[in-house]
Amino acid sequence: MILGIGTDLANIERIERTLARFGDRFRNRVFTEVEQRKAERRRDVAGTYAKRWAAKEACSKALGTGLRMGISWKDMAVTNLPTGQPVMHLTGWAEDRLSDMTPEGYEALVHVTLTDDHPWAQAFVVIEARKLS
């Protein structure tokens, strides 16, 4: 069963301007060290950050809260499998919220997909509850 769906569209040029203006202050407030390392070694640094920004926004919407109620940007983090598939990791308040919204006898799976076509980056998140065997 579907527990939540969220999507977000981010402007890569806006993220690029924010990075230029606030630098590490912005990076450290919003992105985990792993996300920063991934973005900084990519050719399209701003695009990589923009996709992760959009993923965090989309995830917060799928959790049913948006970015409020104590959720932190770093409570939601995107990494990639060796195949390149993005994976959303939840910690802190986001993890607690996911646990609260998951029915007993089910496990929650967070699916995320990312795309970009300059100047836009988009993310789509679906939270699924799968019955435990």
Side-chain angles (χ1 to χ4, degrees):
M1 88 179 70
I2 303 299
L3 298 178
I5 299 172
T7 188
D8 193 67
L9 186 65
N11 185 288
I12 295 168
E13 293 169 356
R14 177 176 163 245
I15 297 297
E16 191 170 41
R17 287 190 305 270
T18 302
L19 287 165
R21 182 173 178 194
F22 297 105
D24 286 342
R25 187 169 144 215
F26 172 66
R27 283 181 194 88
N28 294 331
R29 186 175 136 249
V30 176
F31 302 100
T32 65
E33 288 181 26
V34 171
E35 289 173 311
Q36 290 180 50
R37 280 195 306 271
K38 169 86 174 180
E40 295 298 327
R41 70 175 183 258
R42 299 296 298 266
R43 186 170 40 95
D44 184 11
V45 172
T48 302
Y49 279 122
K51 284 186 279 190
R52 278 148 180 75
W53 172 279
K56 293 167 186 272
E57 287 274 9
C59 185
S60 71
K61 293 170 185 174
L63 289 168
T65 63
L67 286 161
R68 58 184 177 89
M69 297 175 56
I71 200 165
S72 165
W73 286 102
K74 289 183 175 182
D75 286 346
M76 302 165 289
V78 178
T79 62
N80 295 84
L81 297 176
T83 60
Q85 177 184 351
V87 179
M88 180 66 71
H89 302 276
L90 303 181
T91 58
W93 189 92
E95 182 179 35
D96 294 344
R97 171 70 179 148
L98 181 63
S99 178
D100 290 346
M101 63 192 287
T102 304
E104 191 172 322
Y106 286 80
E107 66 175 334
L109 303 166
V110 180
H111 306 279
V112 61
T113 186
L114 308 172
T115 191
D116 65 291
D117 187 8
H118 196 86
W120 301 107
Q122 184 176 30
F124 192 75
V125 172
V126 175
I127 300 175
E128 171 192 8
R130 184 183 300 166
K131 194 157 184 72
L132 295 171
S133 321

